[in-house]
Amino acid sequence: MSAETPAARGQFHIWRLRFRAWRGGRPFWAGLFILIAGFPIAYLPYANLQIGHLTLAMATTAGAGSLIIGVLLGVLGISLWYQKHIRTFAGVAAILLGLVSLPVSNFGGFFVGFLLALVGGGMAVAWAPGEEPAARPAETDRTDKGDAPEAALANGASEPNDLSGTSPTNGANGRHSAG
């Protein structure tokens, strides 16, 4: 296959459109933020950072708690993608886990995981499913469209749908009436 093969481009285009439709029907970005928030919270308490010849060990006594919070955030992020009806529970749980990560996991993964969990949880709670596009009625062959003459009003007004109450034909002289 060469780079100029139209089939390869068409398959990628179809895959991209399918992914866009799948992503649009669920809180995708909220799940992604929550999933990413779990990584620094779970990883940093076990990490040994090297700064030149200096080794910083971030091990805390609550390392298991950090791991549990990180894994739970990852599970909540993935479950938001595949079970969109739990968005409120998952969003509130992500916010609470992010808040708990502050004292447990090195200030919530140095505030990175904490902030991502708060933003993702807020997005999950605020997400609402979109409405399906309404089906338009089928076009029919009607005789009242187009060339049919309009019926004249009894008082000679040319605006049959004037509901504002401000036309000169009803005596308002352009002013709004209060009743």
Side-chain angles (χ1 to χ4, degrees), residues 5-25:
T5 304
R9 183 183 177 277
Q11 290 172 355
F12 177 75
H13 183 69
I14 290 170
W15 179 84
R16 187 179 62 84
L17 290 177
R18 262 196 242 150
F19 177 70
R20 177 187 280 178
W22 177 82
R23 185 187 68 195

Side-chain angles (χ1 to χ4, degrees), residues 5-166:
T5 304
R9 183 183 177 277
Q11 290 172 355
F12 177 75
H13 183 69
I14 290 170
W15 179 84
R16 187 179 62 84
L17 290 177
R18 262 196 242 150
F19 177 70
R20 177 187 280 178
W22 177 82
R23 185 187 68 195
R26 60 199 71 246
F28 176 78
W29 294 108
L32 185 65
F33 277 120
I34 293 171
L35 181 67
I36 293 172
F39 180 74
I41 291 174
Y43 177 72
L44 288 178
Y46 294 104
N48 289 330
L49 301 176
Q50 295 282 348
I51 301 175
H53 293 291
L54 180 64
T55 301
L56 294 174
M58 298 292 164
T60 62
T61 57
S66 300
L67 186 62
I68 290 171
I69 290 172
V71 168
L72 284 175
L73 284 171
V75 168
L76 286 173
I78 291 172
S79 66
L80 272 173
W81 289 347
Y82 294 104
Q83 298 178 3
K84 59 186 172 185
H85 60 278
I86 66 161
R87 67 184 186 275
T88 304
F89 168 75
V92 170
I95 291 170
L96 290 176
L97 285 171
L99 288 171
V100 168
S101 74
L102 281 174
V104 171
S105 176
N106 296 330
F107 298 110
F110 294 120
F111 295 108
V112 174
F114 165 70
L115 291 174
L116 286 171
L118 288 185
V119 169
M123 289 170 67
V125 170
W127 184 82
E131 296 177 5
E132 294 291 326
R136 290 189 289 175
E139 292 288 328
T140 59
D141 193 20
R142 297 177 49 176
T143 59
D144 58 344
K145 287 174 66 177
D147 295 352
E150 293 185 27
L153 295 175
N155 55 7
S158 63
E159 301 177 39
N161 293 329
D162 183 23
L163 301 176
S164 65
T166 60

